[in-house]
Amino acid sequence: MFKRQVKLVLVLLGSLALALALFSGQYKVKTESGITIITNGRRPSAPQGTPTKLVFEEVYTVGGGDSPDASFVSASALDVLPDGTVYVVDTKDSRVKVFDAEGRFLRVFGRQGQGPGEMNQPTGILVTPDKEILVEDILNRRLAIFALDGTFRRHISTAKALGLSGIQMDGRGLIVARSMGLAEGGKMALEVKTYDAEFNPKVRLGSFEMQITAQTKVNPFSAMDLLYALGREGLIYLGSAKAYEIRIVSAEGRLLKTIGRDYDPVPVTQADKDEMLKTLGGLPGVNLKDMIQFPDVYPPFSNFVLAGEGRLLVKTFEKGQAKKEFYWDVFDADGRYIARVPIVHDIQLWQDGKAYFFVEDEDGYRALRCCRARWER
């Protein structure tokens, strides 16, 4: 009798464990007020036969040579033409360096300064639908526009917004960017907006305000409230540090869909704090410890990119086995959580079946790595 009861308990526990496992991978879709709400459990739940293994095959790595023109002092952003030609902003060098689809150095243009065609620590770059090169020159409070061959064409002032960054465009004329300005009460405001072709603001998609005083404590993850990516057909993907949720809105700012999942928050350890303070460095006479207020746990994610086949890759703070390796959650075109994959380097851009990364050597110098990306079962 006792053995029978033990077996019954074991069967019950096994059934309960199975039920919990199934529940943790639950995928639900509902509609409220015309908004599609997609939720997922803690575990991936891919339909049978779905390729969920991400494989990278290196095409080239550039920027680590001895030539000042072909090497990077501090590469910060890139964009790619349809033929694979890649344009890379070197922030500290204040120049743009160009490589072909095989990684061969082609040319360099721009220089440090404030005159025509000169830049002051540029931070972003974009190949526009008109096949021009737009460079974000924030410290000069303007955008620098070049031809594909590097010939300077014009400047666009961004003085009203105290600078624009993270500019994204699509072929239909939609522009999304992040701006910084002053709000009421002496607050600093960061906003994500859409813009017209002349960079006049249209629709505010998100904002974050911070009081600027000598006693201000800064949460280093606050800027993650303003994550975004410009998708297909004029759709904009927005992320927040407050919840595991990706919001998909129209060009007019109308909420169409949300994608989220249950997750277990990752604690911010003392070792993590020490490493971040070390990475941030500091200024003479400034104690960063007195300025930064670390939260107890990390935000749900730190970044996301739109990959091929309508897939969405979301970088979490869950560490992998290798140094600087983190897990990325994978959602399919239907918003289903289908996989989690460990990746060492941040994906800067995913385009035409290729992923582009910045990788660092032991001395902290960056190189650009291009890899073919494919999904396997």
Side-chain angles (χ1 to χ4, degrees):
M1 183 69 176
F2 177 74
K3 291 183 178 180
R4 183 179 177 183
Q5 289 177 329
V6 170
K7 289 182 179 180
L8 183 59
V9 170
L10 291 176
V11 170
L12 181 61
L13 290 174
S15 299
L16 180 59
L18 178 60
L20 289 174
L22 291 173
F23 182 77
S24 66
Q26 206 167 29
Y27 166 74
K28 293 182 179 179
V29 181
K30 63 180 180 179
T31 301
E32 293 183 358
S33 302
I35 302 169
T36 302
I37 301 173
I38 301 172
T39 57
N40 294 271
R42 284 178 169 79
R43 298 183 183 181
S45 178
Q48 188 173 3
T50 302
T52 57
K53 181 182 178 182
L54 180 56
V55 178
F56 293 120
E57 294 178 345
E58 182 176 340
V59 178
Y60 62 78
T61 297
V62 297
D66 296 328
S67 167
D69 287 343
S71 300
F72 303 129
V73 180
S74 180
S76 61
L78 64 98
D79 205 356
V80 183
L81 288 176
D83 66 2
T85 302
V86 59
Y87 291 75
V88 186
V89 165
D90 195 333
T91 296
K92 289 186 178 180
D93 201 20
S94 292
R95 299 195 292 173
V96 176
K97 298 169 183 182
V98 190
F99 303 84
D100 69 12
E102 303 301 322
R104 292 183 289 263
F105 174 73
L106 297 178
R107 57 187 170 274
V108 61
F109 59 87
R111 61 180 181 269
Q112 174 75 33
Q114 299 179 343
E118 297 177 337
M119 299 172 285
N120 189 359
Q121 296 189 16
T123 57
I125 190 167
L126 178 76
V127 179
T128 74
D130 294 329
K131 297 296 183 291
E132 292 182 319
I133 306 302
L134 181 153
V135 182
E136 299 167 1
D137 189 10
I138 292 181
L139 292 187
N140 283 335
R141 299 170 69 181
R142 65 193 184 190
L143 306 175
I145 312 297
F146 299 86
L148 294 181
D149 64 2
T151 302
F152 173 69
R153 290 189 169 175
R154 64 190 183 280
H155 287 301
I156 299 176
S157 174
T158 60
K160 291 182 180 179
L162 300 182
L164 293 178
S165 63
I167 299 173
Q168 298 182 27
M169 294 183 185
D170 67 5
R172 304 164 66 175
L174 178 61
I175 301 174
V176 181
R178 185 184 296 112
S179 67
M180 180 174 64
L182 296 176
E184 295 181 1
K187 293 182 179 180
M188 181 67 69
L190 295 175
E191 298 179 318
V192 174
K193 299 177 182 178
T194 62
Y195 293 82
D196 64 18
E198 302 300 321
F199 288 92
N200 297 306
K202 296 177 64 178
V203 179
R204 187 174 69 172
L205 302 172
S207 64
F208 164 72
E209 292 185 355
M210 180 178 64
Q211 189 73 46
I212 303 298
T213 67
Q215 291 76 36
T216 298
K217 293 281 189 177
V218 179
N219 181 341
F221 306 114
S222 295
M224 292 176 186
D225 276 347
L226 302 179
L227 298 173
Y228 58 94
L230 184 55
R232 299 170 297 176
E233 301 176 353
L235 297 180
I236 305 165
Y237 291 67
L238 302 172
S240 171
K242 296 182 177 65
Y244 199 124
E245 181 182 83
I246 308 293
R247 292 174 290 129
I248 303 175
V249 304
S250 68
E252 297 74 32
R254 183 168 64 89
L255 180 61
L256 304 174
K257 181 189 296 185
T258 65
I259 301 173
R261 81 169 182 91
D262 297 331
Y263 77 104
D264 295 316
V266 177
V268 180
T269 68
Q270 186 59 50
D272 293 337
K273 297 175 184 178
D274 294 340
E275 180 64 25
M276 280 185 276
L277 289 172
K278 180 180 177 182
T279 301
L280 290 172
L283 299 173
V286 177
N287 188 348
L288 284 177
K289 290 184 178 180
D290 294 337
M291 299 177 62
I292 294 179
Q293 179 66 54
F294 289 101
D296 295 328
V297 297
Y298 284 102
F301 50 81
S302 64
N303 190 23
F304 59 83
V305 296
L306 303 178
E309 303 174 2
R311 293 189 173 189
L312 176 68
L313 272 64
V314 181
K315 182 186 176 184
T316 73
F317 284 95
E318 184 179 353
K319 296 178 181 178
Q321 298 297 318
K323 185 178 179 181
K324 296 185 178 180
E325 182 180 69
F326 291 88
Y327 280 97
W328 292 62
D329 294 337
V330 184
F331 297 85
D332 66 13
D334 295 322
R336 182 189 295 270
Y337 178 35
I338 61 171
R340 57 194 292 269
V341 295
I343 302 176
V344 173
H345 305 289
D346 278 1
I347 301 172
Q348 301 294 323
L349 180 68
W350 186 300
Q351 183 170 303
D352 298 328
K354 293 180 180 178
Y356 297 83
F357 309 83
F358 286 131
V359 298
E360 292 186 358
D361 61 19
E362 295 180 353
D363 296 322
Y365 289 100
R366 283 188 167 188
L368 170 66
R369 180 168 297 162
C370 170
C371 296
R372 291 187 182 89
R374 71 175 189 273
W375 295 94
E376 296 181 349
R377 295 181 182 177

